[in-house]
């Protein structure tokens, strides 16, 4: 998934989630704020109501007070015949009430009651036949007068559906209103009744502001008990407020349903805001990510892709941001990988691949410029022994040290040659290569080669120790030794092998003779490869006789390649080549399988009861798979392991390491016999024999030949070997027995098993089968 | 008493000291020529302060403001009520006659009849009080109904053939019903003369409750020469006006001289002739007080409330 898609998938839910949480919190805050606003609105309206009510009531009181102080009223009240005066006074009073309505529009009635509470004068708007006295209020009035005898008031529900205020005041017309002594006489009662708008106004305003379902319960009260405003939020979400004033009790109920539209609006507002914010934030972040991250990364990706085709497309960035860091880290990684791909991690020298590329370039350049170059193929001799004896760490350090010294040695000190950057390389484990360019001729090459060899004149000193390590150097030069890298390398390699074969710590130029040898070797390689692929080998069997029993008890399996045989090339020539090319493993397996198959045939055809001895390469002693392969073959042909004896050359054991010994032991545990071939030629220390699990020693033919013409007057070697075998209880087979004297001598020395042309030449499978059958009937030839 | 004595006294005092009489009066009740003659004879001047609403007048008198006048012109009933309440001073004893219309504390000025003033070019002479309350479609919005409680309610009661001073609740309810019938025809509830004074010749008024003599002033105020006065067949009530002295005021010679001057029968006749209002009849002056005097205080209050209710109703539309 691309980063942009991932950003879409990841960013959007995260932003939406965060804003949803914020939105929820805001919504809750809005709800709380709305409740608080509602509560404040109610408190404000109630406060306004109280002020409005006080204003109205004060207006009523003021009307009454002002009426009592008018000269008209005083004149009327003191009229000597006030009953008739009421006729005109009531008219005046009505006009007075009309005037007062300018400021107190609710005024309904102004009355004067006699001391006995009978109505005396009444100004009001009703028709003339309606009783003016508010008789239904008289009981309340009586109770109230008991508490507030001088003046007071009460609210009541008027017949018109509104609230009325009944205000009264006792007075003595002859005395001042505020004269306390006036209380001692019978006094009249002045009454003003006014419609009070405040409760209805409060209800109207509250419903306008908070909704039509708001309920206001307004109940008149004469108790005068004051209760402050209290608000309660019910579990259902209804808001209740209660208040008691001097003249009333009030309860306000705001159902939760009235707040739903507000909540709904708030919800819609929050959802809308969240949606917009999510969208805006998402787009903004996406744009930023696109601009600051994705585009630089895509640009980087493009540059990386471009850098595959065009070197230098990717350049270091100086920025301090992550993309620059990624770009630079990628560059470093590429450089590191390129370095790893091009250079040997141990020595820091160019590796084979890098060296070959460089070699190609230099060869092309040299060809164009008509210059000569020389390739030096350098191989460390005896390096394996350092690894085996001192460990790989020492071996690695030796290689590193050698590389440094090599670099120092080949540094141009004059103009006879040039060494380019990757001209010195480590091709394989202990193989190095050096390319010299701009050469004058072989002299310069020889100077370099000698300088390298000089590093090993006293062995190689490492960490204060001298290691018996030398180098063999093969040299190939253009144009005579080749003009392409592969040819030049192959020829230098061949020259190196030749130098190694000539004795170590020397160099050798590639020559025409070497070219021919290489050609022959290539031919043998091709023939062997073809033979492996097309079953192009044959087996011959050299019988091994028990001279006492006078019959063959063993037969050594010999391989032949008819194609090479016709060219006069025998196993002694092609086996080393097979070993050097790796073909030997396939050849060994071919020999083993066909040997076992032949043994089965011998046993069936001729009743042969002896065993076959089969030569295996020293390479198999490093092959961990070999014992298992041996076991599978034995199992496949149903043969007892003791019927097979594997021959290994003594020289293969000379430098035998732990791996070699382990594989020998595994083979031994398998039950097969082990014979040491060409014994005596490999300088195997006798004490070493104790460590190898061999069963049989095969005396090299050179020692058998010495029986008749011993080189010195010393005791023949055969005797020493036989003594040794007797000492270690080993079987002994004498090879190359060609005369009756040799047979006799060996017999006298106690050697019973022999093979050689005197006894039998190598036989084909049919001949061997026939011999086995015959020898079981006819005694072997006597010496 | 021989009238020559006061006259002599009047003439003598006039030469001695000239004064001004502040008179709170109804317009048109005193002829300017009469007053001019008084001034010419005595040297005293008369300054008139007019009212056209009896309720206003009562408030002025009852609030003590009346003491700012030397003389007040009030109706005969109010004279009696004010006298009973102690708001009036006694008349000077030099007056030639004290009649029953105004009692002991008022000098009767006129005693006229209640009737209807109408425009002859607009309607036939109304023969019934019912015509005032249902005059027919031609007079829609052209009727002016007085707001004085006694006379207005009397007219309604007369229209139903009832006692114009009845205090029976049932009669008064019928009167109220009669007033309610009148509503579509009303131009306003006010004194016809006040309406004429205010609107002049543009007034649509064509029928109004009036006193005999008002037609002359209606003509003068509206320049409509077809104003006529008629007393409907159901009868009428009389309405007398008196001159009274507010209690507590010192009686000035000018006031006394004016009262003495106006008390002369020939002056009274001359004033009646000039104003159009009936002079005080000797029989009434002597022995037949106004039937309105029979109204109780309660009856007056109820009438006042009834008229006030009608005014409110009319004002509210």
């Amino acid at each position: 998934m691309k980063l942009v898609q991932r950003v879409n998938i990841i960013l959007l839910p995260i932003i939406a989630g965060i804003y949803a949480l914020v939105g929820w919190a805001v919504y809750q805050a809005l709800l709380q704020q709305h409740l608080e606003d509602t509560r404040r609105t109610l408190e404000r309206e109630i406060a306004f109501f109280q002020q409005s009510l006080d204003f109205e009531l004060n207006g009523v009181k003021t009307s009454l007070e002002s009426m009592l102080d008018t000269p008209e009223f005083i004149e009327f009240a003191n009229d000597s015949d006030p009953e008739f005066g009421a006729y005109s006074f009531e008219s005046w009073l009505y006009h007075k009430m009309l005037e007062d309505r300018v400021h107190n529009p609710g005024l309904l009635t102004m009355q004067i009651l006699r001391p006995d509470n009978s109505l005396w004068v009444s100004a009001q708007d009703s028709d003339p036949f309606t009783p003016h006295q508010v008789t239904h209020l008289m009981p309340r009035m009586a109770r109230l007068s008991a508490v507030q005898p001088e003046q007071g008031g009460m609210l009541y529900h008027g017949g018109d559906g509104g609230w009325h205020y009944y205000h009264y005041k006792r007075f003595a017309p002859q005395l001042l209103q505020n004269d306390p002594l006036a209380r001692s006489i019978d006094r009249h009662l002045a009454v003003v009744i006014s419609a009070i708008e405040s409760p209805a106004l409060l209800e109207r305003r509250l419903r306008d502001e908070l909704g039509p379902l708001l309920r206001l319960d307004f109940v008149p009260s004469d108790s005068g008990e004051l209760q402050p405003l209290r608000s309660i939020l019910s579990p259902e979400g209804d808001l209740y407020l209660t208040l008691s004033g001097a003249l009333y009790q009030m309860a306000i109920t705001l159902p939760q349903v009235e707040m739903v539209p507000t909540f709904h609006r708030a919800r819609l507002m929050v959802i809308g805001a969240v949606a917009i914010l999510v969208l805006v934030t998402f787009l903004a972040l996406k744009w930023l990510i696109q601009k600051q991250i994705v585009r630089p990364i895509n640009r980087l990706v493009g540059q990386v892709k471009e850098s595959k085709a065009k070197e230098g497309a990717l350049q270091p960035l100086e920025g301090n941001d992550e993309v620059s860091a990624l770009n630079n880290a990628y560059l470093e990684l590429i450089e590191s990988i390129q370095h790893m791909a091009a250079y040997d991690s141990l020595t820091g020298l160019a590796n084979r691949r890098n060296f070959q590329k460089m070699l190609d370039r230099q060869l092309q350049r040299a060809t164009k410029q008509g210059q000569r170059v020389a390739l030096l193929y350098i191989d460390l001799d005896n390096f394996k022994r350092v690894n085996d004896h001192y460990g790989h760490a020492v071996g690695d350090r030796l290689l590193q040290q050698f590389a440094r010294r090599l670099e120092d040695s080949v540094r141009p000190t004059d103009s006879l040659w040039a060494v380019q950057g990757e001209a010195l390389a480590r091709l394989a484990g202990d193989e190095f290569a050096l390319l010299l360019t701009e050469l004058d001729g072989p002299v310069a090459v020889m100077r370099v080669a000698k300088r390298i060899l000089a590093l090993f004149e006293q062995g190689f000193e490492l960490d204060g120790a001298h290691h018996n390590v030398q180098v063999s150097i093969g040299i190939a030069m253009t144009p005579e030794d080749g003009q392409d890298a592969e040819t030049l390398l192959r020829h230098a390699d061949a020259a190196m092998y030749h130098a190694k074969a000539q004795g170590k710590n020397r160099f050798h130029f590639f020559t025409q003779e070497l070219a021919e040898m290489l050609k022959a070797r290539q031919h043998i390689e091709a023939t062997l490869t073809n033979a492996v692929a097309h079953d192009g080998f044959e087996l011959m069997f050299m019988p091994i006789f028990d001279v006492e029993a006078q019959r063959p008890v063993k037969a050594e399996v010999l391989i032949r390649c008819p194609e090479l045989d016709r060219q006069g090339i025998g196993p002694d020539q092609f086996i080393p080549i097979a070993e050097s090319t790796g073909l030997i493993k396939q050849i060994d397996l071919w020999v083993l399988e066909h040997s076992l198959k032949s043994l089965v045939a011998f046993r069936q055809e001729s009743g042969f009861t002896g065993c076959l001895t089969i030569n295996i390469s020293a390479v198999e002693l490093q092959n961990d798979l070999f014992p298992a392969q041996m076991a599978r073959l034995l199992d496949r042909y149903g043969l007892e392991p003791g019927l097979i004896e594997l021959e290994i050359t003594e020289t293969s054991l000379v430098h035998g390491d732990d791996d070699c010994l382990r594989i020998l032991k595994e083979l031994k545990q398998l039950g097969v016999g082990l014979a040491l071939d060409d014994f005596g030629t490999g300088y195997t220390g006798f004490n070493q024999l104790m460590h190898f699990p061999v069963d049989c020693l095969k005396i090299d033919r050179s020692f058998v030949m010495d029986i008749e013409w011993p080189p010195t007057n010393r005791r023949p070697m055969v005797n020493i070997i036989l003594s040794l075998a007797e000492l270690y209880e080993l079987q002994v087979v004498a090879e190359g027995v060609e005369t009756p004297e040799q047979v006799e001598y060996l017999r006298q020395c106690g050697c019973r098993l022999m093979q050689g042309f005197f006894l039998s030449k190598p036989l084909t499978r049919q001949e061997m089968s026939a011999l086995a059958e015959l020898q079981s009937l006819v005694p072997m030839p006597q010496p | 008493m021989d009238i020559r004595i006061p006259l002599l006294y009047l003439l003598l005092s006039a030469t001695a000291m000239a004064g001004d009489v502040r008179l709170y009066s109804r317009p048109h009740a005193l002829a300017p020529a009469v007053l001019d003659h008084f001034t010419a004879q005595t040297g005293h001047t008369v300054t008139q302060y007019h009212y056209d609403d009896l309720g206003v007048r009562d408030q002025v008198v009852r609030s003590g403001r009346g003491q700012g006048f030397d003389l007040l012109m009030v109706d005969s009933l109010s004279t009696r009520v004010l006298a009973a309440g102690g708001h009036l001073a006694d008349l000077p004893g030099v007056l030639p006659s004290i009649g029953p219309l105004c009692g002991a504390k008022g000098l009767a000025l006129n005693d006229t009849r209640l009737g209807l003033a109408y425009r002859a070019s607009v309607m036939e002479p109304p023969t019934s009080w019912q015509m005032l309350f249902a005059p027919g479609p031609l007079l829609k919005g052209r009727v002016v109904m007085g707001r004085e409680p006694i006379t207005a309610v009397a007219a309604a009661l007369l229209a139903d053939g009832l006692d114009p001073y009845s205090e029976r609740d049932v009669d008064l309810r019928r009167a109220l019903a009669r007033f309610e019938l009148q509503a579509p025809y009303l131009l306003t509830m006010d004194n016809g003369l006040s309406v004429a004074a205010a609107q002049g010749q543009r007034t649509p008024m064509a029928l109004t409750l009036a006193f005999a003599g008002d037609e002359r002033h209606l003509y003068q105020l509206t320049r409509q020469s077809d104003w006529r006065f008629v007393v409907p067949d159901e009868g009428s009530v009389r309405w007398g006006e008196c001159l009274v002295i507010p209690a507590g005021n010192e009686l000035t010679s000018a006031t006394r001289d004016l009262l003495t001057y106006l008390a002369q029968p020939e002056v009274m006749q001359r004033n009646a002739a000039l104003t159009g209002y009936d002079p005080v009849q000797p029989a009434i002056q002597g022995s037949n007080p106004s039937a309105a005097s029979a109204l109780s205080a309660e009856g007056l209050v109820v009438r006042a409330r009834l008229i006030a209710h009608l005014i409110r109703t009319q004002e509210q539309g």
Side-chain angles (χ1 to χ4, degrees), chain A residues 427-464:
Chain A
L427 301 182
D430 56 356
E431 296 177 1
F432 294 82
L434 172 63
L435 183 71
L436 301 177
T437 56
E438 302 172 22
L439 284 170
D440 287 345
V443 175
V445 184
M446 289 172 66
R447 184 178 298 175
V448 173
K450 285 177 182 175
R451 195 177 291 174
I452 295 170
L453 292 177
L455 296 173
F456 297 90
E457 283 180 352
Q458 302 301 323
F460 194 85
E461 184 183 349
L462 181 69
D463 300 334

Side-chain angles (χ1 to χ4, degrees), chain A residues 71-72 75 79-81 83-92 94-95 119 122 124-129 132, chain B residues 58-59 62-63 65 80-81 84-87 148-149 169 172-173 176 295-297 300-301 304-306 309 312:
Chain A
E72 287 84 354
E75 190 79 18
D79 200 321
S80 55
D81 186 8
E83 294 303 323
F84 271 104
Y87 153 65
S88 59
F89 179 72
E90 190 171 286
S91 176
W92 172 84
Y94 183 77
H95 281 91
L119 187 64
S122 174
Q124 63 181 27
D125 289 336
S126 60
D127 72 73
F129 307 108
H132 280 210
Chain B
D58 284 350
Q59 288 170 30
R62 289 182 172 280
S63 65
R65 295 182 185 88
R80 189 171 66 87
V81 171
H87 300 286
E148 195 285 313
D169 191 64
L172 293 171
R173 286 181 185 276
L176 178 60
L295 281 172
S296 68
L300 283 171
V301 168
R305 289 176 182 171
L306 193 150
H309 170 70
R312 272 198 311 276

Side-chain angles (χ1 to χ4, degrees), chain A residues 297-307 313-314:
Chain A
I297 288 177
N298 285 339
R299 194 160 53 240
L300 181 60
V301 169
Q303 289 172 346
V304 168
K305 288 179 179 174
E306 193 181 349
S307 69
L314 201 58

Side-chain angles (χ1 to χ4, degrees), chain A residues 544-551 743 746-747 751-754 759 780 782:
Chain A
I544 298 172
F545 291 89
D546 182 342
V547 294
E548 296 298 334
Q550 297 187 359
R551 62 183 180 89
V743 173
L746 289 167
R747 182 188 288 172
C751 179
R752 294 182 59 176
L753 302 177
M754 303 174 200
L759 298 171
M780 62 180 285
Q782 294 298 312

